[in-house]
């Protein structure tokens, strides 16, 4: 019980830091907000862009078997008919007959997914009122294109980025001239009319995904797809632990029971993270078979260059939520120490790579030199400048947003062309030549 309280306090502290320091704000706040909508502020967008850029570099630029696309958010509604989303993409919804609050049946009844019945003994978690029978609620977010709002103009915001990789498969194949096995990746927004959004940016109705559809030959035996599945399972772990710097002890594989899997999947393993509100899905890995390509293409869309054989490739799909990455990174990096709160972010993820301070704001020669160094570093890095309060406060202010280095310009700098560099994690200080600063900062980004 105590642990739960501490954990919810921890979550509150992280949410509050995010707002106070400009990582993440409640959306439309001056109009009273919009439930579960959030805006990334100046520091949040840097963190999020760093995650997306490192992901793109790792999985597209560094590999020979991957290409990227950036598709429209609203696709022809026939896409969603063929993909099965209009029919299958739903959650079981129950309503409290007394307080009218709505819940997902599988959230209030842990056995729901096995039985597909709501245990009658289960009551409303808020007011203990009686719950209705579950009914399926489709998660597709609807809109209308053009001036007339009727069924002919109904369209949907994509609930996953994945479908564009299937629909564009032939166009990509013809232009990128890739041979199987290869993958198509995309980063972009997805929308779901979630029944119970919540836990800050963990589950929202508008969110961002980084997805890969990896196409393989028709497997002759299970081991053929299992090998590729395992390769991607390791890649996901390596991304989370090494690129995002998340502690391995907080990450867990969880294989989905058949009744929990999405309609297209033959096997799914989720990578879960120990969020302060509990262990929950961070990423997913699914074997989508040839389900999607078969539904979209009447003819097999792939021809083997050597044998001339035409077939429907099978698909392994690693999928990564951008917002959940941001949240996991923040939760993992947030540390309360004796005198300070510090975000121990990997330097490559930190919004600012370095902060520059003149020792005293009322000494023009120090301010001038600090400004010069600030502009010089800004050519290569995102840099903060601070001349308020005392140096100690400035350090703590940068610690709280994860800036790996603070550089102080003092009177010795004017004599010797060196500065004090203070390390966020060790809090140790050293003198570094101005000419060596860029290299020191760059070095930390490759760690
Ligand atoms: N294409 C497969 C797919 O979309 P999913 O498990 O439904 O699979 C993939 O979603 C990832 O997207 C999840 O692992 C999670 O990181 C993220 N995600 C899903 N729904 C979300 C939501 N409502 N809010 C934030 N992130 C979400």
């Amino acid at each position: 019980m105590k642990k739960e309280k501490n954990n919810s306090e921890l979550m509150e502290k992280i949410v509050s830091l995010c707002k106070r320091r400009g990582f993440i704000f409640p959306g439309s706040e001056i109009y009273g907000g919009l439930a579960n909508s959030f805006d990334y502020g100046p520091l949040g967008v840097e963190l999020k862009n760093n995650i997306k850029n490192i992901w793109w570099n790792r999985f597209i630029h560094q590999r020979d078997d991957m290409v990227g696309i950036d598709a429209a958010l609203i696709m022809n509604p026939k896409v969603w008919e063929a993909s099965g989303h209009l029919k299958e993409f739903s959650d079981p919804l129950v309503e409290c007959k007394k307080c009218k609050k709505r819940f997902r049946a599988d959230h209030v009844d842990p056995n729901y997914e096995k039985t597909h019945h709501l245990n009658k003994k289960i009551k409303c978690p808020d007011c203990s009122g009686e719950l209705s029978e579950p009914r399926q609620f489709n998660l597709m977010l609807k809109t209308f294109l053009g001036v007339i709002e009727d069924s002919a103009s109904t369209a949907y915001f994509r609930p996953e980025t994945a479908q564009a990789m299937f629909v564009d498969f032939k166009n990509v194949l013809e232009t990128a001239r890739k041979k199987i096995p290869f993958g198509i990746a995309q980063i972009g927004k997805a929308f779901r009319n979630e029944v119970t959004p919540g836990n800050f940016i963990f589950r929202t109705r508008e969110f961002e995904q980084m997805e890969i559809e990896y196409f393989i030959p028709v497997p002759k035996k299970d081991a053929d797809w299992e090998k590729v599945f395992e390769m991607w399972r390791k890649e996901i772990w390596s991304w989370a632990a090494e690129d995002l710097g998340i502690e391995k002890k907080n990450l867990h594989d969880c294989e989905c029971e058949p009744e929990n899997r999405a309609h297209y999947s033959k096997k799914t393993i989720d990578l879960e993270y120990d969020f302060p509100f509990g262990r929950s899905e961070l990423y997913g890995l699914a074997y989508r078979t040839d389900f999607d390509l078969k539904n979209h293409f009447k003819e097999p869309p792939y021809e083997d260059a050597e044998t001339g054989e035409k077939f429907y490739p099978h698909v392994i799909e690693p999928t990564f939520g951008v917002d959940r990455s941001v949240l996991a990174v923040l939760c993992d990096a947030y540390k309360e120490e004796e005198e300070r709160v510090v975000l121990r972010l990997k330097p490559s993820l930190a919004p600012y790579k370095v902060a520059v301070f003149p020792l005293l704001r009322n000494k023009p020669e120090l301010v001038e030199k600090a400004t010069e160094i600030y502009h010089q570093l800004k050519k290569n890095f995102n840099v903060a400048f601070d001349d308020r309060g005392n140096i100690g406060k400035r350090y703590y202010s940068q610690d709280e947003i994860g800036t790996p280095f603070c550089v102080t310009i003092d009177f010795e700098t004017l004599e010797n062309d060196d500065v004090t560099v203070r390390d966020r994690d060790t809090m140790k200080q050293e003198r570094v030549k101005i000419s060596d600063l860029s290299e020191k900062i760059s070095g930390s980004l490759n760690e």
Side-chain angles (χ1 to χ4, degrees):
M1 194 60 205
K2 185 155 187 289
K3 188 151 189 257
E4 249 172 45
K5 182 165 179 280
N6 286 344
N7 284 346
S8 79
E9 269 171 22
L10 173 64
M11 200 58 213
E12 276 166 29
K13 284 179 184 166
I14 292 169
V15 172
S16 143
L17 184 144
C18 282
K19 167 131 201 257
R20 191 161 37 80
R21 299 306 307 269
F23 281 94
I24 300 164
F25 310 124
S28 317
E29 197 182 13
I30 61 165
Y31 287 101
L34 173 71
N36 302 293
S37 113
F38 295 95
D39 296 342
Y40 285 80
L43 297 190
V45 70
E46 296 293 337
L47 171 60
K48 185 156 85 136
N49 282 346
N50 289 339
I51 291 175
K52 291 196 284 184
N53 291 339
I54 295 170
W55 188 90
W56 194 264
N57 184 46
R58 174 180 178 131
F59 291 116
I60 289 90
H61 292 176
Q62 297 300 317
R63 295 180 63 119
D64 295 329
D65 58 349
M66 295 279 296
V67 287
I69 59 166
D70 183 19
L73 294 180
I74 299 177
M75 304 175 80
N76 188 317
K78 285 182 188 157
V79 170
W80 308 112
E81 241 173 77
S83 70
H85 281 81
L86 283 178
K87 202 163 143 241
E88 308 272 0
F89 197 56
S90 53
D91 278 339
L93 173 81
V94 288
E95 195 177 88
C96 172
K97 292 183 181 167
K98 199 164 134 202
C99 72
K100 305 289 173 211
K101 277 224 173 96
R102 289 168 174 187
F103 304 93
R104 265 172 63 172
D106 54 329
H107 285 180
V108 289
D109 180 354
N111 288 325
Y112 180 83
E113 262 156 358
K114 285 208 174 77
T115 59
H116 284 111
H117 291 293
L118 187 80
N119 182 341
K120 290 263 186 277
K121 288 190 187 138
I122 290 181
K123 301 287 177 215
C124 171
D126 276 19
C127 73
S128 305
E130 195 186 332
L131 293 172
S132 70
E133 282 295 310
R135 67 182 168 87
Q136 288 301 321
F137 176 79
N138 193 283
L139 301 183
M140 302 285 287
L141 199 72
K142 240 187 229 176
T143 188
F144 299 98
L145 298 181
V147 287
I148 300 167
E149 294 190 7
D150 63 9
S151 60
S153 66
T154 301
Y156 304 89
F157 286 96
R158 62 184 181 194
E160 60 170 4
T161 64
Q163 289 304 319
M165 277 79 103
F166 303 126
V167 171
D168 288 350
F169 179 76
K170 276 193 90 167
N171 277 335
V172 172
L173 202 60
E174 278 157 21
T175 49
R177 300 169 63 230
K178 288 282 171 203
K179 276 193 194 150
I180 272 172
F182 80 98
I184 310 179
Q186 177 168 211
I187 299 181
K189 290 256 172 152
F191 299 81
R192 295 182 189 175
N193 208 358
E194 297 280 3
V195 178
T196 49
N199 284 327
F200 195 32
I201 54 170
F202 178 80
R203 183 173 283 111
T204 49
R205 296 196 170 102
E206 173 181 344
F207 56 96
E208 213 167 351
Q209 294 182 318
M210 307 185 280
E211 294 201 294
I212 295 168
E213 307 307 318
Y214 197 77
F215 300 95
I216 57 170
V218 180
K220 294 196 171 64
K221 50 189 182 318
D222 280 346
D224 295 342
W225 66 265
E226 282 167 355
K227 191 173 67 200
V228 187
F229 194 92
E230 181 58 16
M231 179 270 284
W232 280 109
R233 197 185 65 77
K234 289 190 178 136
E235 282 291 288
I236 294 175
W237 266 85
S238 159
W239 156 259
E242 284 149 37
D243 293 77
L244 297 188
I246 295 175
E247 281 198 67
K248 280 193 178 157
K249 69 172 172 57
N250 296 331
L251 294 168
H252 312 273
D253 272 337
C254 172
E255 178 157 1
C256 292
E257 299 289 335
E259 57 273 16
N260 282 359
R261 290 198 297 249
H263 59 279
Y264 48 72
S265 176
K266 195 168 163 189
K267 177 178 171 118
T268 301
I269 290 186
D270 287 340
L271 182 67
E272 297 188 328
Y273 175 73
D274 291 324
F275 289 98
F277 46 83
R279 188 173 292 178
S280 302
E281 176 184 342
L282 176 60
Y283 302 141
L285 174 63
Y287 172 36
R288 290 182 81 128
T289 67
D290 55 2
F291 177 87
D292 301 274
L293 288 180
K294 266 204 172 136
N295 285 330
H296 288 305
F297 291 93
K298 284 199 187 79
E299 303 282 324
Y302 189 83
E303 185 177 329
D304 187 294
E306 270 124 57
T307 63
E309 186 201 351
K310 290 189 174 166
F311 61 90
Y312 290 93
H314 281 228
V315 172
I316 306 287
E317 179 197 60
T319 172
F320 308 70
V322 176
D323 311 86
R324 286 190 194 176
S325 304
V326 171
L327 186 58
V329 161
L330 286 170
C331 294
D332 223 64
Y334 181 92
K335 306 282 174 220
E336 286 177 356
E337 295 176 3
E338 224 166 86
E339 297 171 348
R340 61 174 189 161
V341 165
V342 55
L343 275 190
R344 288 182 179 267
L345 295 172
K346 282 201 73 164
S348 51
L349 300 180
Y352 291 119
K353 306 304 178 206
V354 54
V356 174
F357 311 150
L359 180 65
L360 299 165
R361 72 190 296 186
N362 58 0
K363 294 287 173 205
E365 61 275 38
L366 294 184
V367 174
E368 196 184 316
K369 189 71 186 167
T371 310
E372 184 193 312
I373 293 173
Y374 166 73
H375 284 296
Q376 188 189 318
L377 291 174
K378 238 172 133 53
K379 287 182 191 152
N380 295 317
F381 312 105
N382 196 28
V383 191
F385 186 92
D386 195 359
D387 60 3
R388 300 160 308 162
N390 65 43
I391 291 286
K393 277 198 183 139
R394 292 185 219 166
Y395 283 157
Y396 291 147
S397 166
Q398 295 299 325
D399 288 344
E400 205 184 34
I401 58 172
T403 310
F405 301 110
C406 291
V407 165
T408 303
I409 285 77
D410 54 22
F411 292 104
E412 266 180 63
T413 309
L414 306 178
E415 305 282 308
N416 305 334
D417 268 344
D418 59 11
V419 291
T420 300
V421 176
R422 185 261 198 182
D423 183 292
R424 176 196 71 197
D425 295 338
T426 61
M427 297 200 275
K428 292 221 168 84
Q429 299 180 13
E430 59 171 338
R431 292 302 284 189
V432 175
K433 285 279 170 213
I434 295 171
S435 53
D436 293 339
L437 270 179
S438 282
E439 209 181 306
K440 181 169 174 66
I441 299 159
S442 300
S444 77
L445 303 182
N446 302 323
E447 277 166 13

